[in-house]
Amino acid sequence: MKITFYGHGALGIEVGGKHIIVDPYISANPNAAHIDIDTLKADYILVTHAHGDHILDVDAIAKRTNAVIVSNAEIAGYYGAKGFQSHPMNHGGSWNFDFGKLKYVNAIHSSSFPDGSYGGNPGGFVIEGEHKNIYIAGDTALTMDMKLIPMRTKLDLAILPIGDNFTMDVEDAIVASDFLDCDKILGYHYDTFGYIEIDHEDAIRKFFNKGKDLMLLEIGSSIEL
């Protein structure tokens, strides 16, 4: 499984021979100016919630690639009505895709489209691949529901927001990693705006002091599990 960070909450995942894009907010992110969305491969687009900083490039990527948009029922319906392929899910539900098993799990946040349309309830995703399992938290506060995830799935990586103000901060993300029983963390949703700028060295040190590994990737960089 290969995971590429495209800035903010945007990710690329290669698993089971398929390409997945998560929450593509790339073309308007000045920190990701070197990423050309027209070069990104996508069989699926996973959307955690409807905010503009998570769906900006969904239409463009889906139109070019014919990717299946996977999200909650309201978001899937929104894109389905625009003529895109979509797969609706809801909290606690899972589906066996050709890249692995995907589960839609709880997140505490808000969700509405930039045009004011209802975006359903926000969520996160657990991907159980052939060899590795990951949790993509989306935009969320720390929640006790995270304790439920390792009861069903042993995680190899947790992808957690750490920018504070709109989501968890570093300290809450450390607690989240305890709840998730996962000490390997990829941080995201930080530095894009003034509200969510962080001290990288301090964040890494705080995780390290708890015996955990926080990775903060350069935009466009990848890790392999």
Side-chain angles (χ1 to χ4, degrees):
M1 183 183 293
K2 181 179 179 180
I3 301 167
T4 303
F5 179 53
Y6 292 126
H8 200 53
L11 305 164
I13 301 171
E14 297 176 39
V15 57
K18 299 298 179 180
H19 292 83
I20 301 168
I21 299 292
V22 182
D23 286 357
Y25 174 77
I26 302 169
S27 62
N29 181 357
N31 298 328
H34 58 294
I35 305 296
D36 181 358
I37 64 169
D38 290 333
T39 66
L40 302 181
K41 296 180 180 179
D43 299 295
Y44 298 91
I45 301 172
L46 308 187
V47 180
T48 62
H49 65 292
H51 287 164
D53 61 327
H54 290 258
I55 64 153
L56 176 71
D57 298 315
V58 169
D59 293 65
I61 294 172
K63 183 176 181 179
R64 179 178 57 81
T65 63
N66 204 33
V68 178
I69 299 166
V70 183
S71 191
N72 64 36
E74 291 79 8
I75 292 174
Y78 176 93
Y79 285 110
K82 297 175 73 171
F84 294 112
Q85 292 191 83
S86 65
H87 181 106
M89 301 189 74
N90 222 317
H91 296 97
S94 59
W95 189 261
N96 290 315
F97 291 92
D98 51 6
F99 61 80
K101 184 177 180 180
L102 183 72
K103 186 170 187 176
Y104 190 67
V105 296
N106 287 347
I108 298 178
H109 196 59
S110 54
S111 180
S112 60
F113 286 94
D115 64 7
S117 300
Y118 177 52
N121 291 313
F125 295 99
V126 176
I127 299 176
E128 295 183 1
E130 185 177 0
H131 302 294
K132 300 294 182 179
N133 304 322
I134 67 172
Y135 166 53
I136 305 166
D139 283 13
T140 187
L142 177 65
T143 168
M144 295 293 284
D145 289 336
M146 293 173 178
K147 287 191 171 186
L148 299 174
I149 292 174
M151 295 173 67
R152 290 287 302 271
T153 305
K154 175 60 179 174
L155 296 174
D156 296 287
L157 178 72
I159 303 173
L160 304 178
I162 57 173
D164 204 3
N165 195 72
F166 298 111
T167 68
M168 296 187 292
D169 62 5
V170 169
E171 286 79 5
D172 278 356
I174 291 171
V175 176
S177 70
D178 288 336
F179 287 178
L180 295 163
D181 192 22
C182 184
D183 293 336
K184 192 178 185 72
I185 308 301
L186 176 61
Y188 78 160
H189 207 275
Y190 63 91
D191 283 359
T192 316
F193 321 116
Y195 287 121
I196 60 173
E197 291 177 355
I198 67 167
D199 182 325
H200 292 209
E201 291 185 2
D202 182 64
I204 291 170
R205 181 173 59 252
K206 285 177 177 176
F207 271 85
F208 179 81
N209 289 342
K210 296 294 185 179
K212 302 173 186 294
D213 178 20
L214 172 67
M215 293 172 286
L216 302 179
L217 295 178
E218 295 291 329
I219 294 175
S221 296
S222 304
I223 58 170
E224 295 203 29
L225 300 179

PDB file of all heavy atoms in Angstrom, residues 98-134:
ATOM      1  N   ASP A  98     -13.032  -3.702  -4.947  1.00  0.00           N
ATOM      2  CA  ASP A  98     -11.960  -4.491  -5.542  1.00  0.00           C
ATOM      3  C   ASP A  98     -10.585  -4.137  -4.990  1.00  0.00           C
ATOM      4  O   ASP A  98      -9.608  -4.842  -5.245  1.00  0.00           O
ATOM      5  CB  ASP A  98     -11.978  -4.392  -7.075  1.00  0.00           C
ATOM      6  CG  ASP A  98     -12.013  -2.970  -7.600  1.00  0.00           C
ATOM      7  OD1 ASP A  98     -11.904  -2.034  -6.778  1.00  0.00           O
ATOM      8  OD2 ASP A  98     -12.151  -2.793  -8.825  1.00  0.00           O
ATOM      9  N   PHE A  99     -10.467  -3.062  -4.211  1.00  0.00           N
ATOM     10  CA  PHE A  99      -9.194  -2.715  -3.573  1.00  0.00           C
ATOM     11  C   PHE A  99      -9.123  -3.196  -2.130  1.00  0.00           C
ATOM     12  O   PHE A  99      -8.061  -3.143  -1.506  1.00  0.00           O
ATOM     13  CB  PHE A  99      -8.960  -1.199  -3.618  1.00  0.00           C
ATOM     14  CG  PHE A  99     -10.010  -0.381  -2.902  1.00  0.00           C
ATOM     15  CD1 PHE A  99      -9.995  -0.227  -1.534  1.00  0.00           C
ATOM     16  CD2 PHE A  99     -11.021   0.242  -3.623  1.00  0.00           C
ATOM     17  CE1 PHE A  99     -10.958   0.537  -0.871  1.00  0.00           C
ATOM     18  CE2 PHE A  99     -11.984   1.013  -2.984  1.00  0.00           C
ATOM     19  CZ  PHE A  99     -11.961   1.153  -1.606  1.00  0.00           C
ATOM     20  N   GLY A 100     -10.243  -3.655  -1.569  1.00  0.00           N
ATOM     21  CA  GLY A 100     -10.286  -4.099  -0.185  1.00  0.00           C
ATOM     22  C   GLY A 100     -11.613  -3.729   0.457  1.00  0.00           C
ATOM     23  O   GLY A 100     -12.531  -3.244  -0.201  1.00  0.00           O
ATOM     24  N   LYS A 101     -11.686  -3.954   1.744  1.00  0.00           N
ATOM     25  CA  LYS A 101     -12.906  -3.650   2.490  1.00  0.00           C
ATOM     26  C   LYS A 101     -12.852  -2.219   3.011  1.00  0.00           C
ATOM     27  O   LYS A 101     -11.854  -1.802   3.599  1.00  0.00           O
ATOM     28  CB  LYS A 101     -13.066  -4.617   3.659  1.00  0.00           C
ATOM     29  CG  LYS A 101     -14.357  -4.448   4.448  1.00  0.00           C
ATOM     30  CD  LYS A 101     -14.457  -5.504   5.550  1.00  0.00           C
ATOM     31  CE  LYS A 101     -15.741  -5.360   6.345  1.00  0.00           C
ATOM     32  NZ  LYS A 101     -15.823  -6.389   7.420  1.00  0.00           N
ATOM     33  N   LEU A 102     -13.927  -1.477   2.797  1.00  0.00           N
ATOM     34  CA  LEU A 102     -14.003  -0.075   3.225  1.00  0.00           C
ATOM     35  C   LEU A 102     -15.151   0.087   4.209  1.00  0.00           C
ATOM     36  O   LEU A 102     -16.273  -0.360   3.947  1.00  0.00           O
ATOM     37  CB  LEU A 102     -14.228   0.827   2.011  1.00  0.00           C
ATOM     38  CG  LEU A 102     -14.265   2.330   2.286  1.00  0.00           C
ATOM     39  CD1 LEU A 102     -12.867   2.842   2.621  1.00  0.00           C
ATOM     40  CD2 LEU A 102     -14.827   3.086   1.083  1.00  0.00           C
ATOM     41  N   LYS A 103     -14.868   0.731   5.324  1.00  0.00           N
ATOM     42  CA  LYS A 103     -15.900   1.006   6.329  1.00  0.00           C
ATOM     43  C   LYS A 103     -15.988   2.504   6.562  1.00  0.00           C
ATOM     44  O   LYS A 103     -14.966   3.197   6.642  1.00  0.00           O
ATOM     45  CB  LYS A 103     -15.589   0.291   7.640  1.00  0.00           C
ATOM     46  CG  LYS A 103     -16.694   0.406   8.691  1.00  0.00           C
ATOM     47  CD  LYS A 103     -16.433  -0.531   9.867  1.00  0.00           C
ATOM     48  CE  LYS A 103     -17.622  -0.535  10.830  1.00  0.00           C
ATOM     49  NZ  LYS A 103     -17.422  -1.509  11.919  1.00  0.00           N
ATOM     50  N   TYR A 104     -17.230   2.998   6.661  1.00  0.00           N
ATOM     51  CA  TYR A 104     -17.460   4.421   6.931  1.00  0.00           C
ATOM     52  C   TYR A 104     -17.738   4.574   8.419  1.00  0.00           C
ATOM     53  O   TYR A 104     -18.664   3.950   8.959  1.00  0.00           O
ATOM     54  CB  TYR A 104     -18.661   4.904   6.097  1.00  0.00           C
ATOM     55  CG  TYR A 104     -18.862   6.402   6.090  1.00  0.00           C
ATOM     56  CD1 TYR A 104     -17.947   7.251   5.493  1.00  0.00           C
ATOM     57  CD2 TYR A 104     -20.004   6.964   6.663  1.00  0.00           C
ATOM     58  CE1 TYR A 104     -18.150   8.623   5.466  1.00  0.00           C
ATOM     59  CE2 TYR A 104     -20.215   8.335   6.640  1.00  0.00           C
ATOM     60  CZ  TYR A 104     -19.287   9.150   6.042  1.00  0.00           C
ATOM     61  OH  TYR A 104     -19.489  10.509   6.022  1.00  0.00           O
ATOM     62  N   VAL A 105     -16.924   5.375   9.100  1.00  0.00           N
ATOM     63  CA  VAL A 105     -16.991   5.464  10.554  1.00  0.00           C
ATOM     64  C   VAL A 105     -17.256   6.906  11.000  1.00  0.00           C
ATOM     65  O   VAL A 105     -17.150   7.852  10.231  1.00  0.00           O
ATOM     66  CB  VAL A 105     -15.696   4.932  11.198  1.00  0.00           C
ATOM     67  CG1 VAL A 105     -15.531   3.443  10.902  1.00  0.00           C
ATOM     68  CG2 VAL A 105     -14.468   5.704  10.710  1.00  0.00           C
ATOM     69  N   ASN A 106     -17.578   7.056  12.257  1.00  0.00           N
ATOM     70  CA  ASN A 106     -17.989   8.344  12.801  1.00  0.00           C
ATOM     71  C   ASN A 106     -16.871   9.391  12.805  1.00  0.00           C
ATOM     72  O   ASN A 106     -15.704   9.081  12.989  1.00  0.00           O
ATOM     73  CB  ASN A 106     -18.481   8.172  14.239  1.00  0.00           C
ATOM     74  CG  ASN A 106     -19.827   7.494  14.322  1.00  0.00           C
ATOM     75  OD1 ASN A 106     -20.521   7.353  13.318  1.00  0.00           O
ATOM     76  ND2 ASN A 106     -20.196   7.061  15.515  1.00  0.00           N
ATOM     77  N   ALA A 107     -17.281  10.634  12.630  1.00  0.00           N
ATOM     78  CA  ALA A 107     -16.423  11.793  12.856  1.00  0.00           C
ATOM     79  C   ALA A 107     -17.299  12.875  13.493  1.00  0.00           C
ATOM     80  O   ALA A 107     -18.505  12.910  13.261  1.00  0.00           O
ATOM     81  CB  ALA A 107     -15.809  12.296  11.553  1.00  0.00           C
ATOM     82  N   ILE A 108     -16.689  13.721  14.297  1.00  0.00           N
ATOM     83  CA  ILE A 108     -17.407  14.845  14.898  1.00  0.00           C
ATOM     84  C   ILE A 108     -16.926  16.122  14.227  1.00  0.00           C
ATOM     85  O   ILE A 108     -15.794  16.571  14.422  1.00  0.00           O
ATOM     86  CB  ILE A 108     -17.186  14.907  16.417  1.00  0.00           C
ATOM     87  CG1 ILE A 108     -17.732  13.650  17.097  1.00  0.00           C
ATOM     88  CG2 ILE A 108     -17.866  16.142  16.993  1.00  0.00           C
ATOM     89  CD1 ILE A 108     -17.515  13.621  18.588  1.00  0.00           C
ATOM     90  N   HIS A 109     -17.787  16.688  13.409  1.00  0.00           N
ATOM     91  CA  HIS A 109     -17.433  17.872  12.626  1.00  0.00           C
ATOM     92  C   HIS A 109     -18.744  18.441  12.081  1.00  0.00           C
ATOM     93  O   HIS A 109     -19.807  18.223  12.670  1.00  0.00           O
ATOM     94  CB  HIS A 109     -16.466  17.456  11.503  1.00  0.00           C
ATOM     95  CG  HIS A 109     -15.722  18.591  10.864  1.00  0.00           C
ATOM     96  ND1 HIS A 109     -14.893  19.442  11.559  1.00  0.00           N
ATOM     97  CD2 HIS A 109     -15.669  19.001   9.573  1.00  0.00           C
ATOM     98  CE1 HIS A 109     -14.368  20.324  10.734  1.00  0.00           C
ATOM     99  NE2 HIS A 109     -14.835  20.087   9.514  1.00  0.00           N
ATOM    100  N   SER A 110     -18.699  19.158  10.986  1.00  0.00           N
ATOM    101  CA  SER A 110     -19.894  19.625  10.283  1.00  0.00           C
ATOM    102  C   SER A 110     -19.730  19.281   8.811  1.00  0.00           C
ATOM    103  O   SER A 110     -18.661  18.853   8.381  1.00  0.00           O
ATOM    104  CB  SER A 110     -20.106  21.129  10.494  1.00  0.00           C
ATOM    105  OG  SER A 110     -18.956  21.863  10.128  1.00  0.00           O
ATOM    106  N   SER A 111     -20.795  19.467   8.030  1.00  0.00           N
ATOM    107  CA  SER A 111     -20.707  19.061   6.623  1.00  0.00           C
ATOM    108  C   SER A 111     -21.784  19.747   5.808  1.00  0.00           C
ATOM    109  O   SER A 111     -22.969  19.456   5.949  1.00  0.00           O
ATOM    110  CB  SER A 111     -20.854  17.535   6.503  1.00  0.00           C
ATOM    111  OG  SER A 111     -20.780  17.101   5.163  1.00  0.00           O
ATOM    112  N   SER A 112     -21.372  20.679   4.962  1.00  0.00           N
ATOM    113  CA  SER A 112     -22.292  21.297   4.002  1.00  0.00           C
ATOM    114  C   SER A 112     -21.484  21.721   2.788  1.00  0.00           C
ATOM    115  O   SER A 112     -20.309  22.060   2.906  1.00  0.00           O
ATOM    116  CB  SER A 112     -23.014  22.503   4.617  1.00  0.00           C
ATOM    117  OG  SER A 112     -22.088  23.490   5.022  1.00  0.00           O
ATOM    118  N   PHE A 113     -22.108  21.664   1.622  1.00  0.00           N
ATOM    119  CA  PHE A 113     -21.424  22.055   0.396  1.00  0.00           C
ATOM    120  C   PHE A 113     -21.283  23.580   0.340  1.00  0.00           C
ATOM    121  O   PHE A 113     -22.054  24.319   0.970  1.00  0.00           O
ATOM    122  CB  PHE A 113     -22.210  21.568  -0.824  1.00  0.00           C
ATOM    123  CG  PHE A 113     -22.102  20.091  -1.057  1.00  0.00           C
ATOM    124  CD1 PHE A 113     -23.056  19.222  -0.545  1.00  0.00           C
ATOM    125  CD2 PHE A 113     -21.056  19.560  -1.796  1.00  0.00           C
ATOM    126  CE1 PHE A 113     -22.969  17.859  -0.753  1.00  0.00           C
ATOM    127  CE2 PHE A 113     -20.966  18.204  -2.018  1.00  0.00           C
ATOM    128  CZ  PHE A 113     -21.918  17.345  -1.502  1.00  0.00           C
ATOM    129  N   PRO A 114     -20.335  24.076  -0.427  1.00  0.00           N
ATOM    130  CA  PRO A 114     -20.162  25.530  -0.562  1.00  0.00           C
ATOM    131  C   PRO A 114     -21.407  26.243  -1.059  1.00  0.00           C
ATOM    132  O   PRO A 114     -21.604  27.424  -0.743  1.00  0.00           O
ATOM    133  CB  PRO A 114     -19.011  25.648  -1.576  1.00  0.00           C
ATOM    134  CG  PRO A 114     -18.218  24.406  -1.381  1.00  0.00           C
ATOM    135  CD  PRO A 114     -19.228  23.340  -1.081  1.00  0.00           C
ATOM    136  N   ASP A 115     -22.269  25.538  -1.808  1.00  0.00           N
ATOM    137  CA  ASP A 115     -23.501  26.168  -2.291  1.00  0.00           C
ATOM    138  C   ASP A 115     -24.631  26.110  -1.280  1.00  0.00           C
ATOM    139  O   ASP A 115     -25.749  26.535  -1.558  1.00  0.00           O
ATOM    140  CB  ASP A 115     -23.946  25.545  -3.618  1.00  0.00           C
ATOM    141  CG  ASP A 115     -24.330  24.072  -3.498  1.00  0.00           C
ATOM    142  OD1 ASP A 115     -24.384  23.541  -2.361  1.00  0.00           O
ATOM    143  OD2 ASP A 115     -24.591  23.440  -4.554  1.00  0.00           O
ATOM    144  N   GLY A 116     -24.340  25.586  -0.080  1.00  0.00           N
ATOM    145  CA  GLY A 116     -25.331  25.511   0.979  1.00  0.00           C
ATOM    146  C   GLY A 116     -26.087  24.203   1.027  1.00  0.00           C
ATOM    147  O   GLY A 116     -26.871  23.979   1.959  1.00  0.00           O
ATOM    148  N   SER A 117     -25.871  23.328   0.069  1.00  0.00           N
ATOM    149  CA  SER A 117     -26.549  22.032   0.065  1.00  0.00           C
ATOM    150  C   SER A 117     -26.139  21.208   1.275  1.00  0.00           C
ATOM    151  O   SER A 117     -25.009  21.300   1.762  1.00  0.00           O
ATOM    152  CB  SER A 117     -26.225  21.253  -1.209  1.00  0.00           C
ATOM    153  OG  SER A 117     -26.626  21.946  -2.361  1.00  0.00           O
ATOM    154  N   TYR A 118     -27.071  20.373   1.730  1.00  0.00           N
ATOM    155  CA  TYR A 118     -26.825  19.522   2.882  1.00  0.00           C
ATOM    156  C   TYR A 118     -25.812  18.437   2.539  1.00  0.00           C
ATOM    157  O   TYR A 118     -25.960  17.747   1.534  1.00  0.00           O
ATOM    158  CB  TYR A 118     -28.138  18.897   3.333  1.00  0.00           C
ATOM    159  CG  TYR A 118     -28.045  17.925   4.484  1.00  0.00           C
ATOM    160  CD1 TYR A 118     -27.401  18.276   5.667  1.00  0.00           C
ATOM    161  CD2 TYR A 118     -28.627  16.654   4.398  1.00  0.00           C
ATOM    162  CE1 TYR A 118     -27.331  17.396   6.721  1.00  0.00           C
ATOM    163  CE2 TYR A 118     -28.575  15.767   5.458  1.00  0.00           C
ATOM    164  CZ  TYR A 118     -27.921  16.133   6.616  1.00  0.00           C
ATOM    165  OH  TYR A 118     -27.859  15.255   7.665  1.00  0.00           O
ATOM    166  N   GLY A 119     -24.798  18.310   3.360  1.00  0.00           N
ATOM    167  CA  GLY A 119     -23.739  17.332   3.104  1.00  0.00           C
ATOM    168  C   GLY A 119     -23.777  16.117   3.989  1.00  0.00           C
ATOM    169  O   GLY A 119     -22.780  15.391   4.083  1.00  0.00           O
ATOM    170  N   GLY A 120     -24.919  15.869   4.647  1.00  0.00           N
ATOM    171  CA  GLY A 120     -24.997  14.697   5.514  1.00  0.00           C
ATOM    172  C   GLY A 120     -24.083  14.821   6.715  1.00  0.00           C
ATOM    173  O   GLY A 120     -23.572  15.893   7.034  1.00  0.00           O
ATOM    174  N   ASN A 121     -23.880  13.706   7.384  1.00  0.00           N
ATOM    175  CA  ASN A 121     -22.999  13.686   8.548  1.00  0.00           C
ATOM    176  C   ASN A 121     -21.577  13.329   8.130  1.00  0.00           C
ATOM    177  O   ASN A 121     -21.376  12.443   7.291  1.00  0.00           O
ATOM    178  CB  ASN A 121     -23.493  12.669   9.572  1.00  0.00           C
ATOM    179  CG  ASN A 121     -24.793  13.101  10.218  1.00  0.00           C
ATOM    180  OD1 ASN A 121     -24.925  14.243  10.637  1.00  0.00           O
ATOM    181  ND2 ASN A 121     -25.759  12.198  10.290  1.00  0.00           N
ATOM    182  N   PRO A 122     -20.584  14.009   8.700  1.00  0.00           N
ATOM    183  CA  PRO A 122     -19.194  13.738   8.326  1.00  0.00           C
ATOM    184  C   PRO A 122     -18.760  12.357   8.801  1.00  0.00           C
ATOM    185  O   PRO A 122     -19.362  11.776   9.702  1.00  0.00           O
ATOM    186  CB  PRO A 122     -18.418  14.844   9.046  1.00  0.00           C
ATOM    187  CG  PRO A 122     -19.255  15.131  10.256  1.00  0.00           C
ATOM    188  CD  PRO A 122     -20.673  15.001   9.788  1.00  0.00           C
ATOM    189  N   GLY A 123     -17.697  11.864   8.199  1.00  0.00           N
ATOM    190  CA  GLY A 123     -17.207  10.549   8.596  1.00  0.00           C
ATOM    191  C   GLY A 123     -15.731  10.388   8.309  1.00  0.00           C
ATOM    192  O   GLY A 123     -15.042  11.311   7.861  1.00  0.00           O
ATOM    193  N   GLY A 124     -15.257   9.203   8.581  1.00  0.00           N
ATOM    194  CA  GLY A 124     -13.900   8.781   8.252  1.00  0.00           C
ATOM    195  C   GLY A 124     -13.989   7.414   7.592  1.00  0.00           C
ATOM    196  O   GLY A 124     -15.079   6.849   7.438  1.00  0.00           O
ATOM    197  N   PHE A 125     -12.845   6.887   7.207  1.00  0.00           N
ATOM    198  CA  PHE A 125     -12.810   5.595   6.517  1.00  0.00           C
ATOM    199  C   PHE A 125     -11.769   4.672   7.138  1.00  0.00           C
ATOM    200  O   PHE A 125     -10.671   5.111   7.492  1.00  0.00           O
ATOM    201  CB  PHE A 125     -12.466   5.771   5.040  1.00  0.00           C
ATOM    202  CG  PHE A 125     -13.495   6.518   4.242  1.00  0.00           C
ATOM    203  CD1 PHE A 125     -13.333   7.868   3.953  1.00  0.00           C
ATOM    204  CD2 PHE A 125     -14.632   5.869   3.762  1.00  0.00           C
ATOM    205  CE1 PHE A 125     -14.268   8.557   3.206  1.00  0.00           C
ATOM    206  CE2 PHE A 125     -15.574   6.554   3.021  1.00  0.00           C
ATOM    207  CZ  PHE A 125     -15.403   7.896   2.738  1.00  0.00           C
ATOM    208  N   VAL A 126     -12.109   3.400   7.229  1.00  0.00           N
ATOM    209  CA  VAL A 126     -11.146   2.348   7.536  1.00  0.00           C
ATOM    210  C   VAL A 126     -10.999   1.500   6.279  1.00  0.00           C
ATOM    211  O   VAL A 126     -11.997   1.013   5.743  1.00  0.00           O
ATOM    212  CB  VAL A 126     -11.601   1.473   8.714  1.00  0.00           C
ATOM    213  CG1 VAL A 126     -10.620   0.321   8.933  1.00  0.00           C
ATOM    214  CG2 VAL A 126     -11.725   2.304   9.990  1.00  0.00           C
ATOM    215  N   ILE A 127      -9.775   1.377   5.801  1.00  0.00           N
ATOM    216  CA  ILE A 127      -9.493   0.536   4.641  1.00  0.00           C
ATOM    217  C   ILE A 127      -8.736  -0.696   5.104  1.00  0.00           C
ATOM    218  O   ILE A 127      -7.656  -0.585   5.704  1.00  0.00           O
ATOM    219  CB  ILE A 127      -8.659   1.280   3.578  1.00  0.00           C
ATOM    220  CG1 ILE A 127      -9.402   2.511   3.057  1.00  0.00           C
ATOM    221  CG2 ILE A 127      -8.306   0.332   2.424  1.00  0.00           C
ATOM    222  CD1 ILE A 127      -8.574   3.341   2.073  1.00  0.00           C
ATOM    223  N   GLU A 128      -9.297  -1.846   4.840  1.00  0.00           N
ATOM    224  CA  GLU A 128      -8.610  -3.107   5.092  1.00  0.00           C
ATOM    225  C   GLU A 128      -8.134  -3.632   3.743  1.00  0.00           C
ATOM    226  O   GLU A 128      -8.910  -4.165   2.953  1.00  0.00           O
ATOM    227  CB  GLU A 128      -9.540  -4.115   5.766  1.00  0.00           C
ATOM    228  CG  GLU A 128      -9.974  -3.695   7.162  1.00  0.00           C
ATOM    229  CD  GLU A 128     -10.829  -4.738   7.859  1.00  0.00           C
ATOM    230  OE1 GLU A 128     -11.066  -5.815   7.260  1.00  0.00           O
ATOM    231  OE2 GLU A 128     -11.266  -4.476   8.989  1.00  0.00           O
ATOM    232  N   GLY A 129      -6.837  -3.430   3.464  1.00  0.00           N
ATOM    233  CA  GLY A 129      -6.259  -3.907   2.225  1.00  0.00           C
ATOM    234  C   GLY A 129      -5.843  -5.356   2.355  1.00  0.00           C
ATOM    235  O   GLY A 129      -6.070  -6.014   3.379  1.00  0.00           O
ATOM    236  N   GLU A 130      -5.190  -5.855   1.313  1.00  0.00           N
ATOM    237  CA  GLU A 130      -4.786  -7.264   1.330  1.00  0.00           C
ATOM    238  C   GLU A 130      -3.787  -7.548   2.431  1.00  0.00           C
ATOM    239  O   GLU A 130      -3.798  -8.614   3.047  1.00  0.00           O
ATOM    240  CB  GLU A 130      -4.192  -7.637  -0.032  1.00  0.00           C
ATOM    241  CG  GLU A 130      -3.844  -9.109  -0.164  1.00  0.00           C
ATOM    242  CD  GLU A 130      -3.321  -9.474  -1.538  1.00  0.00           C
ATOM    243  OE1 GLU A 130      -3.229  -8.567  -2.406  1.00  0.00           O
ATOM    244  OE2 GLU A 130      -3.002 -10.656  -1.759  1.00  0.00           O
ATOM    245  N   HIS A 131      -2.901  -6.564   2.690  1.00  0.00           N
ATOM    246  CA  HIS A 131      -1.838  -6.791   3.668  1.00  0.00           C
ATOM    247  C   HIS A 131      -1.805  -5.757   4.791  1.00  0.00           C
ATOM    248  O   HIS A 131      -1.265  -6.038   5.865  1.00  0.00           O
ATOM    249  CB  HIS A 131      -0.475  -6.799   2.968  1.00  0.00           C
ATOM    250  CG  HIS A 131      -0.354  -7.814   1.885  1.00  0.00           C
ATOM    251  ND1 HIS A 131      -0.378  -9.165   2.136  1.00  0.00           N
ATOM    252  CD2 HIS A 131      -0.220  -7.672   0.538  1.00  0.00           C
ATOM    253  CE1 HIS A 131      -0.261  -9.834   0.990  1.00  0.00           C
ATOM    254  NE2 HIS A 131      -0.171  -8.942   0.009  1.00  0.00           N
ATOM    255  N   LYS A 132      -2.362  -4.563   4.574  1.00  0.00           N
ATOM    256  CA  LYS A 132      -2.269  -3.491   5.554  1.00  0.00           C
ATOM    257  C   LYS A 132      -3.623  -2.828   5.755  1.00  0.00           C
ATOM    258  O   LYS A 132      -4.449  -2.773   4.842  1.00  0.00           O
ATOM    259  CB  LYS A 132      -1.255  -2.431   5.105  1.00  0.00           C
ATOM    260  CG  LYS A 132       0.169  -2.953   4.922  1.00  0.00           C
ATOM    261  CD  LYS A 132       0.807  -3.395   6.235  1.00  0.00           C
ATOM    262  CE  LYS A 132       2.231  -3.867   6.014  1.00  0.00           C
ATOM    263  NZ  LYS A 132       2.889  -4.293   7.275  1.00  0.00           N
ATOM    264  N   ASN A 133      -3.820  -2.287   6.963  1.00  0.00           N
ATOM    265  CA  ASN A 133      -5.076  -1.613   7.310  1.00  0.00           C
ATOM    266  C   ASN A 133      -4.785  -0.192   7.765  1.00  0.00           C
ATOM    267  O   ASN A 133      -3.869   0.031   8.557  1.00  0.00           O
ATOM    268  CB  ASN A 133      -5.788  -2.357   8.442  1.00  0.00           C
ATOM    269  CG  ASN A 133      -6.041  -3.815   8.121  1.00  0.00           C
ATOM    270  OD1 ASN A 133      -6.360  -4.167   6.981  1.00  0.00           O
ATOM    271  ND2 ASN A 133      -5.890  -4.670   9.122  1.00  0.00           N
ATOM    272  N   ILE A 134      -5.586   0.756   7.287  1.00  0.00           N
ATOM    273  CA  ILE A 134      -5.386   2.150   7.676  1.00  0.00           C
ATOM    274  C   ILE A 134      -6.713   2.796   8.062  1.00  0.00           C
ATOM    275  O   ILE A 134      -7.780   2.359   7.633  1.00  0.00           O
ATOM    276  CB  ILE A 134      -4.714   2.975   6.559  1.00  0.00           C
ATOM    277  CG1 ILE A 134      -5.628   3.120   5.339  1.00  0.00           C
ATOM    278  CG2 ILE A 134      -3.371   2.363   6.170  1.00  0.00           C
ATOM    279  CD1 ILE A 134      -5.092   4.088   4.288  1.00  0.00           C
TER     280      ILE A 134
END
